[in-house]
Amino acid sequence: MLGLGADRLRADMNRLLALLFHQGVLDEQFLQLQQLQDESSPNFVSEVVNIYFHESEKLLRNLRGLLMDREFTDYKKMGIHLNQFMGSSSSIGAKRVRNVCVAFRAASEQNNRAGCLRALELLEHEYCYLKNKMHELFQLEQQRLLAAGVRYPMQN
Amino acid sequence: MEIIPFFSIILFLSSPKNPFLDHTHTHHSGKLEISFMEFGATSRKKNKMVNGNQKFRTEITALVVDDDTTNRTIHRRLLQNLGIENQEVRNGKEAIDIHSSGRNFDLILMDMDMPIMNGIEATKQLRAMGIRSTIVGVSTRSMEEKVQEFMEAGLDDYQEKPLTSAKLISILHKMNHNGSV
């Protein structure tokens, strides 16, 4: 019975992953992260993704802070934040977030403030979606591990 | 320098039958399915063979130079997975400082855009210091002129992010071919 629960959860995880790949939210680079996870580093993916979330939220706050400033002219600084965001997003396979960063950087290179504002909103939206889906995935994984761990009834 | 284990890793990881190179995208009845956990289980079993901490250890050392924590974590894990002992620094200036303290590395993975000192400047300074390590630029930049400027600073190679096992293996192949290890 409990084995079936673990199998069902695994199927749910596969469906969620397939959806995220199909939507272009994730790309093959995410699979690279899976390959780096093993017995010596069993939580590698969730650890790296949580580092990414932590760093990304700082970057998003910085970007919003720059753009909300009426006197804002420092597009170069914005470019620096965007390069970092692009790099880390591509490293974890966050394809859609990375693509929005590319468009955002293009607007920033043209000193296009309105374009940057639009790109920022889209970026926040895409990031939020990714974060929610990753949390869902990790929750399923935790549940699956619990279900798989309780495989045999206790012996008296 | 004993390099036989290094070749074993290269041969294993380059082999078409290597499960790491199978991304397990399979198509069933037109639907995309990714065997997430099966792949994880397989890689955990197989990884025992290539986990540098357990079985193989190369004699190569590497330095990761990147201001982003996510990238440093992933790049270090990629190196560790290939049995390459590695360290990290957060910008070009720290890369110079660690070399000035007497440390030396066979391979340096150098990010381009970093605060305090960027990768271009750091590469120039390392070469001026007489550092002959293999320096590979790793960046999101794809504009030819920027990449050209980075190469002219003294890189041996350039790879666009994201860094993967395959890209790292091609770097190691070139290192071995050029006899710079």
Side-chain angles (χ1 to χ4, degrees), chain B residues 56-112:
Chain B
F56 292 119
R57 211 156 178 80
T58 72
E59 298 294 333
I60 297 173
T61 57
L63 179 67
V64 174
V65 188
D66 200 310
D67 59 326
D68 184 79
T69 313
T70 310
N71 291 333
R72 286 199 308 271
T73 308
I74 295 171
H75 295 175
R76 290 196 72 181
R77 183 76 187 135
L78 282 167
L79 289 163
Q80 185 188 20
N81 220 35
L82 292 176
I84 297 172
E85 189 192 309
N86 61 86
Q87 280 187 243
E88 65 177 55
V89 290
R90 292 169 301 177
N91 57 61
K93 170 132 192 338
E94 288 184 11
I96 304 300
D97 291 345
I98 200 171
H99 281 87
S100 299
S101 73
R103 281 299 323 256
N104 223 302
F105 304 89
D106 299 301
L107 172 65
I108 301 171
L109 297 178
M110 182 77 78
D111 185 26
M112 188 193 290

Side-chain angles (χ1 to χ4, degrees), chain A residues 4-147:
Chain A
L4 282 177
D7 285 343
R8 195 175 303 123
L9 285 163
R10 179 167 62 181
D12 288 344
M13 284 176 69
N14 282 344
R15 262 194 298 277
L16 176 56
L17 266 178
L19 175 70
L20 294 174
F21 274 89
H22 180 68
Q23 290 177 331
V25 173
L26 293 177
D27 64 21
E28 298 80 17
Q29 184 63 15
F30 189 74
L31 294 174
Q32 277 281 316
L33 295 192
Q34 309 301 338
Q35 291 182 25
L36 294 174
Q37 184 162 289
D38 62 14
E39 281 145 5
S40 69
S41 197
N43 302 310
F44 179 74
V45 178
S46 60
E47 282 167 6
V48 165
V49 172
N50 283 324
I51 289 170
Y52 169 75
F53 288 151
H54 181 74
E55 296 295 305
S56 298
E57 273 149 42
K58 275 196 272 184
L59 289 169
L60 282 168
R61 274 198 300 273
N62 290 343
L63 288 166
R64 189 155 270 284
L66 284 172
L67 277 170
M68 291 300 108
D69 180 0
R70 270 190 222 157
E71 314 288 322
F72 167 70
T73 52
D74 200 348
Y75 287 97
K76 191 177 173 197
K77 195 166 186 179
M78 181 166 290
I80 291 169
H81 292 318
L82 286 169
N83 280 338
Q84 190 177 341
F85 209 161
M86 264 179 70
S88 55
S89 301
S90 72
S91 291
I92 68 146
K95 185 174 160 188
R96 276 201 337 215
V97 170
R98 184 201 173 271
N99 289 344
V100 177
C101 286
V102 172
F104 196 154
R105 189 168 73 176
S108 150
E109 282 165 358
Q110 290 159 15
N111 293 4
N112 177 356
R113 186 149 182 241
C116 286
L117 275 164
R118 279 194 298 274
L120 177 62
E121 284 189 15
L122 184 56
L123 185 58
E124 285 168 341
H125 169 80
E126 286 295 341
Y127 172 78
C128 213
Y129 184 74
L130 172 73
K131 189 173 177 184
N132 288 340
K133 289 300 163 192
M134 286 290 103
H135 278 154
E136 207 177 308
L137 191 70
F138 295 143
Q139 265 181 342
L140 286 170
E141 166 75 347
Q142 286 300 313
Q143 287 165 13
R144 192 201 67 82
L145 286 171
L146 278 169

Side-chain angles (χ1 to χ4, degrees), chain B residues 5-16 18 169 173:
Chain B
F6 169 72
F7 277 115
S8 310
I9 292 171
I10 293 296
L11 286 169
F12 176 76
L13 290 171
S14 304
S15 148
N18 174 13
I169 289 164
H173 263 303

